[in-house]
Every structure is written in structure tokens, then in C-alpha cells.
Amino acid sequence: MLVKIYGSAVFGVEAQTITIEVNTAKGIGYHLVGLPDKAIQESSFRIQAALKNTGYNFPGKKITINMAPADLRKEGSAYDLSLAIGVLAASSQIISEDLHKYIIMGELSLDGSLQPIKGALPIAIKAKEEGFDGFILPKQNEKEAAIVDGLKVYGVDNIEQVIDFFHEGKALEQCIVDTQQTFYDCLSKPEFDFADVKGQESIKRCMEIAAAGGHNIIMIGPPGSGKTMLAKRLPSILPPMSLQEALETTKIHSIVGRIKDNQGLIAERPFRSPHHTISDVALVGGGSYPQPGEISLSHNGVLFLDELPEFKRTVLEVMRQPLEDREVTISRARFTITYPSSFMLVASMNPSPGGYFNDPDAPVSSSPAEMQRYLSKISGPLLDRIDIHIEVTPVPFDKLSEERRGESSVDIRKRVTEARNIQTERFSSFENIHYNAQMGVKQIREFCALDQTSKTLLKTAMERLNLSARAYDRILKVARTIADLEKQEQIQPSHITEAIQYRSLDRDGWLG
């Protein structure tokens, strides 16, 4: 007897439907074909134990299972449930005419209960596109899949519920998620708030500018000055994600199984902070069977690299192209996968190996030669992609002991969102430009025109501070954002003056 069941495989950020054909015939044997990996080949042991422990039999016949398309490699244990239902149907222990209407996925435990799977959201999106009635999957993944409107999603705890649904017609409870409500509930409750930060008003201002224009930023300061604390709060002042951005972000996290149990849509912008020992592949993605890296997991959010010079040079260099293209392409002999990686880079570093530089109160001081060697670990081309450099100084005791709370993230975000709306309207005719940090030379010339006073001011500053040529466009972009925050059509000399302050590493004595 031949039976067809439908599962799904995830490649990159897209899913592909897999047809599982189960045939039983006279004889003894279990043959699984269609390029399954080791985890799928081992599924027969899990299925056999799960069926026996739930009162069903693993048929003593010749069973042939084909996973089509047969030339596409299948991975993971998520096909256990599909294979088990297929075996039961082919051996007439389940009789149902509705099997072809559903995508069925789940990993079986030996007692018949189900373990969560990866990639539930892209699978649900594909199931809806291909006209399936519903998606049966483990209970832990139901909210993630139920984000997709127009597809019935049934979360189940064990294989018995699935058997009863098909064989006896017992109804399963459909999971319904109000995506819009879930999305808006998360926006007004940031976990980390700028109101918790004492002092550091100039750095908060800098963070607001970076968020408003989507600028990459690097903070330079001694240990304990608040660099990490400030970076963690940056996502709370970024403009709220659109529903489309939230779906894109959730899809990537779904692929790697990073969505918590019973969490549906990811409505908060992601914040990723990899350790400096990270490898190239872990940062940009890849592997024998490619997976998204940290830069893709921070898509639509913030990637924070703490102690930037401690990262391996090769790791930082592979990040240069994704920073520019906002996507990363991983090529293998048989296929190519592209993951989105539109993130905001926030980096921090000590000014010297000892952590202190030119600080008379510091217990340890590095020589200028040591400091130069330390800073030279960061390449010019990478710094070229960072618009704002800011020095962070330790907070004095009287500021730390103040009872007064600072301005909240919600208030700052209102100003940032207004500035972003101005930019969205300005760049509406450009396909790949949405905010100031993405401007090319052409847009800078068009939207960052300076009056004579501003030109003179910028020329004087570049000569006196010995600013490098790469600083010129960056200053104009940041000045444009400052003008947008103040709702000014024209860039004013005061905007240029402020933007010049944010080029610390271009000055003579740093990385001149």
C-alpha cells in the first residue's frame, strides 16, 4: 500500500515542501531513501519505540520510504512525526482521506511525546502559499507558526492526538494569535531603559543621533565608563519595527531554533553581542549545511562588538561586505544561500591595552607606541564604515549618587521616529535607501548641501584637526541626521560643529 504525507525542509530563509512516500510490501526490511542525513536515518528507532509505547505496532513488513525531491538533502529530526504517521497509514492502522491536506512535522520522544522543531515560521508561510489546509506541529512551536494568517495551525503534545485526529476525527485545538496585538504590546515595554543611565548626557545624545540616522557607532573609553550599558539600551530607542520587519526577524530566529517556547512574533529589535573569540563562520554564517550567523540574527537590530581590537582581524574583515550590501551570500558547490543582514553596528573599545590612556589617576598606563599598535588592529576600511566615533569618560560620583532619573527610552524614541519619518519621505524615490547612513555620494551631494559659512567651518576643522578624507562624507551624513532631529531643511553650521566632534579616531594622535 502506498501513502503520501507532506513535510517541509528549510533552505536559507525559505522552505520547500517535501513529499514523503511510504510503501509497504511483503517481506522484511526498512529502506529510507531521498538523501536523508544521520538524524533521519536513526528515526526508525525512535518511531518504533514511540509506537510501541502508545499502543500501536511497527509493521513487520518491507517498508520503503522516499523523501522527494530525492536529490535534495534532508536534515534533522523534525520528520519523525511525518514518517510515523506515514508508516501507520501505509499499514492501515490509520484510515483517513485528509492526510494530503496537512503539513505534519515534529520530533518524537520514545514515549510518543513531541519535541520542538526549527523553522516553523518559514514552513507555515510555504504551507499557506501552496494551499495546504493546516499545519500540525509540536505545541511549543504553535504560536510561532500561527503568525501566518489563513492557515490552520494545530499544536500537539504527542503522537496519539495526531492519530486520533486523522483516524477517529477527534478535533484538535486550533492556535489563533492576534499578530497585531502581540506586536503592539511589546513596543511600549522596553526591557532596558535609558532612564537607568546616570550622567553621560553627551553619549545619550550621540546614541540618539546614531539611532535616528541608522549610523554605525564606536565608543572609546576606560573600563567601567558605561559603554556596554549604553549599547544594551540602544534597541529601546530605535524606531519600532514594521510588521514586515518583525516577520523577517522572526523567520531568521525560527530557522536556528532561537525562539522561546510559546513565543510568537519577535516584535523587539534583536540585540546580539558575540564574544571576541567568535569564528568567521559563526559571525557571518555558513558551515557544511549553512546556518545564519550573528550578523543575520541581528537583522533589523543591533550587533554589539565589545572590545573590538580583541576580535581576530579576519573576523572583522569578513564583516566589511555585509555591512555595505546588507546581506550575506554563502556559496557551496551545489547551492547558494543568501541571508539578510541589515544591522546597526555598535562597537566599543578601551583606548589602550591596559584600558587607560592619558589618565593621570590610572594605575597602569600604556606608551603611545603600545596604544598605536593596539589601535592598528582595526583596519581603515572597517572604520570607514563607522560614522560616529565618541569618547566615553567615567561617570563622577555625584552623578552616580543622584536620585533623579534620566529621560526615558520611550521619549527619546518619539524624536528618533519623527526623524526617521522625514528620511523615509526624502528617500521614497530610491529603492535601497531608507535612512541617512545608507546615502551614497550622489545623495550626499543632493541632500547635504552646505552654505558658505558651513563650508568654511568644515574646511578649517579638517585642516586643524588633521581629519582624514574619509571623515568628510561621514560628517555630512551625521550633520544631516542632526538637522532632521531638529526638523531643519538646511544643514546649519551648528550641525556641522556637532558632527565634527564625533570623529575621534580620525584625529591626529589616534589613527591619523
Side-chain angles (χ1 to χ4, degrees), residues 131-437:
F132 285 92
D133 283 1
F135 182 15
I136 296 171
L137 78 169
K139 193 85 171 172
Q140 298 96 317
N141 298 111
E142 63 176 359
K143 287 190 178 176
E144 183 186 332
I147 293 168
V148 180
D149 291 330
L151 180 74
K152 292 175 183 173
V153 172
Y154 301 106
V156 292
D157 294 311
N158 54 60
I159 190 172
E160 286 178 277
Q161 290 175 270
V162 185
I163 294 169
D164 291 344
F165 174 67
F166 285 117
H167 190 55
E168 297 179 14
K170 282 189 182 177
L172 289 174
E173 188 181 345
Q174 185 183 345
C175 178
I176 298 170
V177 172
D178 186 342
T179 309
Q180 295 277 359
Q181 191 57 46
T182 308
F183 180 61
Y184 291 115
D185 281 350
C186 294
L187 295 181
S188 55
K189 303 167 188 171
E191 185 181 351
F192 298 103
D193 199 311
F194 265 97
D196 303 331
V197 181
K198 304 282 188 183
Q200 302 291 27
E201 300 306 327
S202 61
I203 316 300
K204 287 184 195 172
R205 164 72 175 167
C206 210
M207 286 286 191
E208 183 179 334
I209 294 165
H215 302 288
N216 298 325
I217 179 172
I218 183 167
M219 295 178 281
I220 311 112
S225 54
K227 303 186 294 295
T228 304
M229 187 180 189
L230 287 156
K232 279 186 176 175
R233 282 153 179 74
L234 183 59
S236 69
I237 63 168
L238 286 168
M241 283 201 285
S242 66
L243 203 51
Q244 182 59 39
E245 285 178 322
L247 280 167
E248 283 175 11
T249 305
T250 308
K251 195 192 272 192
I252 294 167
H253 285 251
S254 172
I255 291 162
V256 292
R258 293 286 175 86
I259 294 180
K260 295 170 190 168
D261 288 357
N262 292 318
Q263 181 186 358
L265 194 69
I266 294 177
E268 293 178 6
R269 291 189 181 271
F271 177 86
R272 305 293 300 179
S273 180
H275 193 259
H276 64 258
T277 55
I278 192 170
S279 68
D280 312 16
V281 170
L283 187 70
V284 298
S288 306
Y289 306 107
Q291 289 280 293
E294 289 291 334
I295 62 172
S296 296
L297 290 170
S298 56
H299 179 60
N300 291 322
V302 173
L303 178 68
F304 176 49
L305 301 184
D306 201 2
E307 304 305 338
L308 189 67
E310 300 297 342
F311 283 79
K312 292 198 289 282
R313 178 87 178 220
T314 53
V315 172
L316 296 178
E317 294 309 294
V318 294
M319 199 170 58
R320 278 160 46 182
Q321 186 230 348
L323 268 171
E324 204 71 32
D325 299 344
R326 304 198 172 267
E327 63 180 25
V328 58
T329 301
I330 298 160
S331 297
R332 293 291 175 267
R334 297 188 61 182
F335 54 86
T336 298
I337 289 173
T338 298
Y339 291 116
S341 61
S342 179
F343 61 91
M344 196 172 150
L345 175 64
V346 180
S348 77
M349 58 182 280
N350 295 326
S352 64
Y356 302 90
F357 177 65
N358 286 349
D359 184 351
D361 301 321
V364 180
S365 181
S366 304
S367 70
E370 285 176 320
M371 194 198 78
Q372 196 63 35
R373 192 162 53 248
Y374 179 71
L375 291 173
S376 67
K377 291 182 182 179
I378 309 166
S379 71
L382 180 64
L383 272 180
D384 195 23
R385 288 161 173 79
I386 300 177
D387 295 350
I388 298 175
H389 313 155
I390 185 75
E391 291 176 60
V392 184
T393 52
V395 182
F397 177 78
D398 57 338
K399 285 280 186 186
L400 282 173
S401 57
E402 270 186 358
E403 291 296 323
R404 185 174 61 87
R405 279 169 68 83
E407 190 177 18
S408 75
S409 291
V410 174
D411 293 334
I412 299 172
R413 185 163 64 188
K414 283 176 188 169
R415 296 196 295 272
V416 168
T417 306
E418 285 172 7
R420 280 283 182 104
N421 291 339
I422 292 169
Q423 293 163 49
T424 303
E425 195 175 322
R426 176 185 300 135
F427 302 123
S428 56
S429 58
F430 298 94
E431 189 179 344
N432 296 318
I433 300 175
H434 307 290
Y435 43 84
N436 291 337

Side-chain angles (χ1 to χ4, degrees), residues 6-81:
Y6 294 94
S8 195
V10 178
F11 296 95
V13 290
E14 304 299 331
Q16 180 168 340
T17 300
I18 302 294
T19 305
I20 299 168
E21 302 169 322
V22 185
N23 188 68
T24 53
K26 287 182 181 179
I28 300 289
Y30 182 86
H31 306 285
L32 182 59
V33 296
L35 285 184
D37 72 350
K38 189 70 176 170
I40 302 173
Q41 289 170 14
E42 291 172 346
S43 64
S44 61
F45 301 107
R46 291 191 294 273
I47 293 167
Q48 204 164 354
L51 293 181
K52 186 179 179 183
N53 290 326
T54 50
Y56 291 87
N57 297 318
F58 193 84
K61 297 182 178 181
K62 183 179 179 182
I63 301 170
T64 306
I65 302 174
N66 177 43
M67 304 180 80
D71 62 342
L72 202 67
R73 186 166 178 83
K74 326 300 184 302
E75 299 171 39
S77 52
Y79 298 98
D80 289 1
L81 184 59

